Amino acid sequence: MAKKNARNTRGKIVEAAWQLFYEQGYEDTTVEEIIESSHTSKGSFYHYFDGKDALLSTLSDLFDQKYLALQEDMDPAMPAMDKLLFLNRALFRMIENSVSMDLLARLLSTQLVTNGERHLLDHKRIYYRLLRRIIAEGQAAGQLSQGRSVNDMVKVYALCERALLYDWCLCGGEYPLCDYAARQMPHFLCDFLPPPSSKNGSGENP
């Protein structure tokens, strides 16, 4: 219970901080405002973070909080591919609505020299655990191809998302991220689907 409460407190601070960064900018946001908005205390804030700059490394935390919520919203009966596209749409919509593109670009660039728990590629993250589960269940149900390993498919999915985010930042946000991803992700993931079976079941046309 104590561990869960600690996670909730830290999560509230992270969520409040990023919302304020988006609404009024990083430079104009103070620690006091973050504490007030998160309904926590000064002691709690400094227990988890040395200062405001330390929050810049919590982008993956923000994303994983979203994935925790999405697990509750996702229909278990939804096909695996639909679940993967649902996760992408929901995350990218959140990014458009609550993450400053300038900060996102800065943070994506720092990932080139970041390691460990702060890295977006940390495979212990909720993000990767959820993707592995969806893909493994999809393969077992015959909804996804078994020609590739689960880990390989997870890597491809994550790579596609990062590519879309980097490109969006490089283009200065000149197009809606969520809409663009909705058009591109099905093409990127098309080989995740099993090959269509022929009518005579032999793999050849009659």
Side-chain angles (χ1 to χ4, degrees):
M1 179 64 73
K3 185 176 181 180
K4 182 178 180 180
N5 289 339
R7 187 165 59 244
N8 288 343
T9 299
R10 187 178 187 278
K12 286 193 292 186
I13 293 170
V14 170
E15 186 175 1
W18 280 94
Q19 188 62 39
L20 288 169
F21 294 162
Y22 179 77
E23 291 173 353
Q24 57 193 45
Y26 175 77
E27 298 298 337
D28 293 330
T29 298
T30 66
V31 168
E32 289 71 24
E33 288 174 320
I34 295 170
I35 292 169
E36 181 180 357
S37 181
S38 63
H39 304 290
T40 55
S41 65
K42 188 174 182 179
S44 294
F45 180 92
Y46 285 104
H47 175 74
Y48 296 106
F49 304 104
D50 294 334
K52 188 175 69 170
D53 287 351
L55 283 157
L56 288 177
S57 65
T58 61
L59 183 62
S60 60
D61 295 66
L62 186 72
F63 291 172
D64 280 355
Q65 286 180 47
K66 181 64 176 178
Y67 284 114
L68 278 173
L70 290 174
Q71 288 184 82
E72 302 297 323
D73 296 336
M74 196 161 48
D75 182 359
M78 189 185 300
M81 179 60 78
D82 290 347
K83 288 179 179 178
L84 294 175
L85 296 176
F86 167 79
L87 291 178
N88 174 258
R89 284 194 303 271
L91 180 72
F92 279 18
R93 187 177 298 114
M94 183 206 75
I95 290 172
E96 281 192 293
N97 294 333
S98 60
V99 179
S100 160
M101 194 188 66
D102 290 340
L103 269 184
L104 177 64
R106 186 194 309 180
L107 289 165
L108 288 173
S109 67
T110 65
Q111 290 295 298
L112 296 172
V113 293
T114 302
N115 296 300
E117 294 182 356
R118 295 181 177 182
H119 203 290
L120 290 175
L121 294 180
D122 177 13
H123 282 256
K124 294 182 291 184
R125 289 180 51 209
I126 292 167
Y127 172 68
Y128 287 103
R129 296 203 301 267
L130 179 57
L131 290 178
R132 285 194 293 268
R133 178 170 63 80
I134 291 172
I135 292 172
E137 290 175 352
Q139 287 184 330
Q143 297 170 353
L144 297 178
S145 171
Q146 297 183 2
R148 308 175 74 163
S149 71
V150 170
N151 286 338
D152 185 43
M153 293 171 79
V154 168
K155 183 176 181 180
V156 169
Y157 179 92
L159 183 153
C160 293
E161 286 205 320
R162 288 196 308 276
L164 288 167
L165 288 175
Y166 273 100
D167 190 61
W168 186 60
C169 291
L170 284 171
C171 293
E174 65 184 22
Y175 53 82
L177 173 64
C178 191
D179 292 346
Y180 186 66
R183 295 194 300 272
Q184 299 303 324
M185 284 296 282
H187 297 294
F188 291 159
L189 305 182
C190 62
D191 67 344
F192 278 27
L193 296 172
S197 58
S198 62
K199 292 182 180 180
N200 64 4
S202 66
E204 300 177 355
N205 291 327

